[in-house]
Amino acid sequence: MTAGMGTTSTLSIDAPVLDAALLQRAREHCAQTDTTLLRAVQEISGWSSARLMRVLGKHFGYPVLRMSDLQALNPDFEALAYTDCVQRQMLWVRDAAGRGMLVFSDPFDDAAEAWGLRRGANRHARARVALSHPEDIQAYLAQQERQMRAMDGLDMEAKVTSDDEVATVITLASIRDDASPVVRLVNSTLYDALKLQASDIHMECDAGRLRVSYRIDGVLAPITEVQGQDMTEQVISRIKVMAELDIAERRIPQDGRFKVRINTRELDFRVSIMPNIFGEDAVLRLLDRQLLTEEARALRLDNLGLDAHAMTDIRKLATKPHGMLLVTGPTGSGKTTTLYAAITEIHTGREKIITIEDPVEYRLPRVLQIPVNEKKGLTFARGLRSILRHDPDKIMVGEIRDGETAQIAVQAALTGHLVFTTVHANNVFDVLGRFLHMGVDAYSFASALNGIVAQRLLRINCPHCAVESTPDMETLRQAGLSREETADWRFKAGKGCGQCRGVGYKGRKAIAEVLILNDRLRELIIQRAPISTLKAEARQAGLRALEQTALEWVASGETTLEEVARVTG
């Protein structure tokens, strides 16, 4: 970063620029004293901290922030952890508009700047960079630490959240200072899961050890192993205590939930405990309220990665005056997110929209959102009955799990409401059998149904390490392709790097097939025609299969045949 330096040989204490002679003397000073080049420049020049930063900012072309400037910005310790900020004398901040900026102190250290930019790449797509004196950064971080400790104190005094559930407070300081190794392990596992943007934590009990894995981008990633049967049992017991489950009961499954506050972020964890031959396994589903609220502001169908055909069809179904829009797919395939995106696009404020969910994932303005509470008797069926008496125009039912809820949802769609809902099924045709199996009348179901969306989430190639890659003949054969068919395809695959944690994929996009019902399809459903007949009619009506969209992504280099096979089979 020293390119373009002046070649003036005269050295002056009051020189307004960083010249070659000053740099040479500073480097010699570094060799003799083992100090940084930044500190050496200041010592040799005699400049004040403010003047040093002005000269460096002008020389390297960076804006310079003083302590007062930093105080007007908000730190982003999710992009760069507090401990890393202290160790490396840098931090990520956000301005009032939410735009991110990397602030660092040493412009001579190219590697440090590159490292900071990489760490914030996930949260700050368009990075800006600024300089600040190490003393200002240190003072700012000290101020933030005092504020965090004050907030921790408030949280410890009033640990009751808005819905009267106790939230455990976890900070880096509490993890470091906790005397119990079990509590320290559990809290650090929850903390790291948030940092890595995991959706689930898996704790698997084996013979004398506990394996911990995170589900990241839909795939399990091994994290660590805990040795010792006693330690394993204590970790599971700690999870049970947090979720208010029976720690003495080890023979039957248990489900619960708990709240955690990490760096002012409130997280919900849904807990499933399952007995096995070695002890018990635990799976924790993580819901980051703040992240979901931030994502809700930008929720639109075109932000989900859907292709143009699918978006057009979903928007057509979402703007119907009444009827039912069903979204199906396996757990974690983004069904609810798609429904939220559709509702956000059509929400004008002139219609009453009510949702009932378990749990409420996104917070939408001017939408009545009701959380299911089975302990208190508020089930999907009971809540849906009450919703119909609340004069809604559009209703979202988080999931149809039983025949009673299905019956009420169909009746709501037939009586002038537009119903958005999800159901677990493998494809659009399995949904039909699922509803009929739940006892819903075929005529009523066919009359109410506007369309079905079946979707999956595909991992996409890491943009930082993806390179040209030619699949072998066996991989092509398993995908039903030939060299001739794929001659003009741009096959790519990620090699694995620090940005993608070595897996070659980073991030996911949605693919969908959309079945819009016409009169002929309704007749076939009422007649309970064979699935093969329904599929043939659907193809004639323009149904684009999931596999077709997925292979188009492979052809453009967005993902790989292996990923398509994993997701679509």
Side-chain angles (χ1 to χ4, degrees):
M1 295 184 63
T2 57
M5 292 180 183
T7 56
T8 306
S9 58
T10 304
L11 175 63
S12 169
I13 296 297
D14 296 320
V17 295
L18 186 65
D19 58 28
L22 174 57
L23 272 176
Q24 181 59 35
R25 289 185 58 187
R27 290 194 178 96
E28 293 171 357
H29 186 67
C30 286
Q32 295 170 1
T33 61
D34 193 29
T35 188
T36 64
L37 185 55
L38 177 68
R39 184 175 296 276
V41 167
Q42 185 168 11
E43 291 177 359
I44 294 296
S45 67
W47 292 331
S48 66
S49 299
R51 184 162 196 175
L52 172 69
M53 287 295 108
R54 285 199 302 271
V55 172
L56 293 178
K58 181 178 180 180
H59 182 82
F60 290 101
Y62 290 133
V64 176
L65 302 182
R66 296 169 298 178
M67 179 60 176
S68 57
D69 300 320
L70 291 174
Q71 288 175 328
L73 302 169
N74 297 313
D76 187 351
F77 292 130
E78 300 302 321
L80 194 61
Y82 178 83
T83 52
D84 290 330
C85 294
V86 173
Q87 291 172 0
R88 295 180 178 265
Q89 291 296 296
M90 65 172 63
L91 66 151
W92 274 96
V93 294
R94 291 182 183 272
D95 61 17
R99 295 171 298 186
M101 177 185 293
L102 173 68
V103 182
F104 71 114
S105 61
D106 192 346
F108 299 107
D109 193 344
D110 292 340
E113 178 188 358
W115 181 87
L117 289 171
R118 286 196 305 271
R119 292 302 295 267
N122 286 339
R123 296 174 60 82
H124 303 281
R126 296 182 178 179
R128 297 176 296 157
V129 181
L131 286 179
S132 188
H133 195 273
E135 294 175 357
D136 286 337
I137 292 180
Q138 186 176 0
Y140 179 75
L141 290 172
Q143 183 185 68
Q144 293 301 316
E145 183 184 24
R146 289 193 297 271
Q147 290 180 3
M148 284 191 290
R149 287 182 177 177
M151 290 301 296
D152 290 346
L154 289 174
D155 285 333
M156 294 302 291
E157 290 175 11
K159 290 176 64 179
V160 179
T161 60
S162 58
D163 52 2
D164 295 330
E165 288 188 50
V166 175
T168 302
V169 180
I170 299 177
T171 65
L172 284 172
S174 69
I175 294 172
R176 183 186 64 242
D177 299 336
D178 202 299
S180 168
V182 174
V183 175
R184 193 161 57 242
L185 172 63
V186 171
N187 288 354
S188 63
T189 299
L190 303 181
Y191 189 96
D192 291 342
L194 170 65
K195 189 173 181 181
L196 293 175
Q197 297 181 332
S199 62
D200 302 83
I201 303 171
H202 287 245
M203 296 181 174
E204 300 168 337
C205 181
D206 203 344
R209 61 184 172 183
L210 184 73
R211 293 191 178 97
V212 180
S213 303
Y214 295 155
R215 187 175 295 279
I216 302 172
D217 287 341
V219 178
L220 281 179
I223 299 299
T224 188
E225 287 189 1
V226 179
Q227 300 297 328
Q229 187 66 31
D230 289 344
M231 187 68 167
T232 296
E233 292 177 359
Q234 290 179 50
V235 168
I236 299 299
S237 294
R238 172 61 181 168
I239 297 296
K240 287 182 176 181
V241 168
M242 297 177 74
E244 298 182 352
L245 301 177
D246 185 357
I247 62 173
E249 180 57 72
R250 300 183 179 180
R251 297 164 297 177
I252 61 173
Q254 297 188 67
D255 297 315
R257 62 181 63 193
F258 62 87
K259 290 181 181 290
V260 165
R261 190 183 297 276
I262 300 177
N263 292 342
T264 72
R265 300 178 84 95
E266 188 173 288
L267 311 175
D268 285 349
F269 286 89
R270 286 184 286 175
V271 180
S272 173
I273 305 291
M274 190 70 65
N276 71 12
I277 58 175
F278 298 109
E280 293 175 293
D281 284 10
V283 175
L284 288 69
R285 167 65 58 88
L286 187 157
L287 289 174
D288 183 351
R289 295 293 186 191
Q290 182 174 329
L291 180 62
L292 293 173
T293 302
E294 292 171 358
E295 290 177 350
R297 298 191 188 106
L299 264 183
R300 293 186 60 84
L301 291 171
D302 46 11
N303 291 337
L304 304 182
L306 292 165
D307 64 280
H309 294 89
M311 280 193 292
T312 300
D313 288 344
I314 294 173
R315 283 174 175 146
K316 185 184 299 183
L317 293 171
T319 53
K320 295 280 188 180
H322 51 75
M324 179 183 290
L325 168 57
L326 274 170
V327 181
T328 188
T331 300
S333 59
K335 302 184 295 294
T336 304
T337 302
T338 297
L339 287 183
Y340 270 111
I343 290 173
T344 301
E345 288 194 359
I346 64 171
H347 186 26
T348 62
R350 293 192 293 270
E351 294 177 309
K352 182 75 170 183
I353 300 178
I354 306 177
T355 75
I356 181 165
E357 309 162 65
D358 183 23
V360 174
E361 295 190 10
Y362 298 91
R363 307 289 175 88
L364 298 180
R366 300 187 65 187
V367 173
L368 174 57
Q369 296 177 270
I370 305 168
V372 166
N373 190 336
E374 294 189 358
K375 290 183 179 179
K376 301 292 186 181
L378 179 56
T379 62
F380 276 111
R382 183 174 179 181
L384 189 51
R385 282 198 197 93
S386 298
I387 286 173
L388 293 176
R389 295 192 291 270
H390 209 69
D391 190 29
D393 295 293
K394 295 176 172 61
I395 303 167
M396 177 181 139
V397 183
E399 182 184 348
I400 290 183
R401 300 174 179 172
D402 54 72
E404 185 180 9
T405 307
Q407 295 276 10
I408 302 169
V410 167
Q411 289 303 313
L414 290 171
T415 54
H417 305 91
L418 181 60
V419 178
F420 300 80
T421 189
T422 73
V423 65
H424 287 288
N426 291 325
N427 54 59
V428 294
F429 303 102
D430 287 350
V431 172
L432 307 176
R434 181 79 188 276
F435 268 76
L436 298 180
H437 180 72
M438 286 191 287
V440 177
D441 175 65
Y443 181 85
S444 298
F445 179 59
S447 301
L449 187 61
N450 292 332
I452 307 171
V453 180
Q455 75 173 52
R456 301 288 190 277
L457 293 178
L458 272 180
R459 291 182 298 171
I460 58 176
N461 289 326
C462 174
H464 303 281
C465 65
V467 295
E468 300 288 338
S469 175
T470 303
D472 56 40
M473 285 302 300
E474 178 61 20
T475 302
L476 287 174
R477 186 189 66 78
Q478 290 180 358
L481 300 170
S482 65
R483 290 283 183 213
E484 291 74 21
E485 290 176 289
T486 60
D488 59 346
W489 287 25
R490 297 175 53 216
F491 289 107
K492 284 188 176 183
K495 296 187 300 181
C497 65
Q499 291 289 320
C500 61
R501 305 172 307 281
V503 299
Y505 300 98
K506 188 173 177 63
R508 293 187 291 176
K509 288 185 178 179
I511 57 172
E513 60 182 16
V514 185
L515 176 65
I516 297 179
L517 265 69
N518 56 28
D519 290 342
R520 177 57 182 158
L521 283 168
R522 288 190 171 91
E523 289 174 1
L524 292 174
I525 293 171
I526 294 169
Q527 295 167 8
R528 302 194 178 218
I531 293 295
S532 57
T533 305
L534 286 167
K535 286 184 176 180
E537 179 61 32
R539 281 193 292 270
Q540 279 194 335
L543 177 68
R544 286 167 51 88
L546 280 170
E547 293 81 359
Q548 182 180 349
T549 303
L551 290 177
E552 289 174 358
W553 281 17
V554 175
S556 63
E558 289 279 335
T559 189
T560 64
L561 287 174
E562 291 81 3
E563 177 65 6
V564 172
R566 183 187 72 84
V567 172
T568 68

